[in-house]
């Protein structure tokens, strides 16, 4: 009977350790899922904030154009021309003309 008690204790300890390992793995998976959820919520919040900020900037630009008396269609044409200017113009060399 004396030899069965230590064997029982050893078996119980092994079962407990296996249970602890399984619990640790479950806890780790839960932590990973929580991190993923937090990252997704953060992405959505940042995306919404950036979209709202862009909308406010557009509204401010439109208000500024109205105050300056620039019609909206003219502003769009000017933006298109500004984008084409660098490719249409040829810049002279910075060092001058060589002879």
């Amino acid at each position: 009977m004396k030899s069965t008690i230590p064997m029982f204790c050893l078996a119980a300890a092994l079962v407990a350790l296996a249970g602890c390992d399984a619990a640790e793995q479950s806890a780790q998976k839960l932590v990973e899922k929580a991190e993923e959820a937090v990252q997704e919520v953060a992405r959505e919040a940042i995306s919404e904030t950036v979209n709202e900020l862009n909308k406010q900037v557009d509204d401010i630009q439109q208000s500024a154009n109205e105050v300056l008396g620039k019609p909206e269609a003219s502003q769009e044409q000017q933006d298109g021309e500004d984008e084409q200017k660098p490719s249409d113009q040829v810049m002279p060399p910075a060092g001058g003309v060589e002879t």
Side-chain angles (χ1 to χ4, degrees), residues 23-40:
E24 182 181 356
Q25 288 178 357
S26 295
Q28 184 63 31
K29 288 179 184 178
L30 182 63
V31 167
E32 289 173 2
K33 287 181 181 181
E35 286 175 352
E36 290 173 6
V38 167
Q39 288 175 354
E40 182 63 28

Side-chain angles (χ1 to χ4, degrees), residues 2-65:
K2 289 183 180 181
S3 65
T4 58
I5 293 175
M7 292 297 268
F8 177 74
C9 290
L10 180 61
L14 289 175
V15 169
L17 288 175
C20 289
D21 187 45
E24 182 181 356
Q25 288 178 357
S26 295
Q28 184 63 31
K29 288 179 184 178
L30 182 63
V31 167
E32 289 173 2
K33 287 181 181 181
E35 286 175 352
E36 290 173 6
V38 167
Q39 288 175 354
E40 182 63 28
V41 169
R43 281 189 201 105
E44 290 175 5
I46 290 171
S47 177
E48 290 174 8
T49 302
V50 168
N51 288 338
E52 184 62 30
L53 181 62
N54 285 337
K55 182 180 176 184
Q56 290 177 358
V57 168
D58 290 342
D59 291 343
I60 291 169
Q61 286 177 337
Q62 183 179 3
S63 296
N65 287 337

